[in-house]
């Protein structure tokens, strides 16, 4: 990612989108063929009703997909324009510390 952004510094949105597409495809493959695939219902005909039956389900999926994944990936990709991969790794390694501090407050 760092090398791609150094070569194409204006393509942040495109690189983030390709990363999100890869996440979505790999998640779908894991869902259907991973170790928990045997627990999936035999018929997926009711998936639309399940998703739309409760506003909390859609809210949780939108929050998880848009806020915690897409926006943070975009921000990470934007930061990679100026930070090296080593600096970015160092910042991400301190995430549990910040989480513990915020939870303690």
């Amino acid at each position: 990612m760092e090398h791609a952004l150094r070569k194409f510094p204006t393509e942040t949105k495109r690189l983030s989108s390709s990363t999100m597409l890869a996440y979505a495809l790999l998640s779908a493959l894991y869902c259907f063929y991973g170790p928990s695939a045997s627990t999936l219902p035999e018929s997926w005909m009711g998936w639309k009703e399940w998703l739309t039956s409760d506003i909390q389900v859609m809210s949780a999926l939108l929050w998880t997909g848009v806020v915690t994944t897409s926006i943070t990936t975009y921000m990470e990709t934007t930061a990679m324009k100026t930070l090296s991969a080593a600096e970015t790794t160092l910042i991400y390694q301190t995430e549990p510390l910040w989480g513990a501090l915020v939870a303690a407050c």
Side-chain angles (χ1 to χ4, degrees):
M1 185 72 78
E2 178 184 7
H3 297 293
L5 280 170
R6 300 262 188 239
K7 190 173 181 180
F8 306 105
T10 60
E11 299 297 328
T12 306
K13 290 180 184 174
R14 204 174 271 187
L15 288 168
S16 296
S17 298
S18 64
T19 302
M20 297 294 17
L21 180 63
Y23 287 161
L25 291 175
L26 290 173
S27 295
L29 285 173
Y30 183 80
C31 179
F32 290 114
Y33 300 109
S36 62
S38 61
T39 61
L40 293 175
E42 292 181 18
S43 172
W44 277 85
M45 298 305 289
W47 70 271
K48 188 174 182 180
E49 290 80 19
W50 176 76
L51 282 176
T52 58
S53 67
D54 190 5
I55 190 70
Q56 290 179 337
V57 173
M58 281 303 282
S59 300
L61 288 174
L62 286 173
W63 178 265
T64 303
V66 176
V67 176
T68 63
T69 305
S70 300
I71 292 175
T72 55
T73 301
Y74 177 74
M75 289 170 32
E76 174 189 353
T77 307
T78 304
M80 291 286 280
K81 287 181 186 179
T82 56
L83 296 174
S84 69
E87 292 169 323
T88 306
T89 301
L90 183 64
I91 291 169
Y92 278 112
Q93 292 301 316
T94 62
E95 181 183 2
L97 298 174
W98 292 109
L101 284 172
V102 169
C105 292

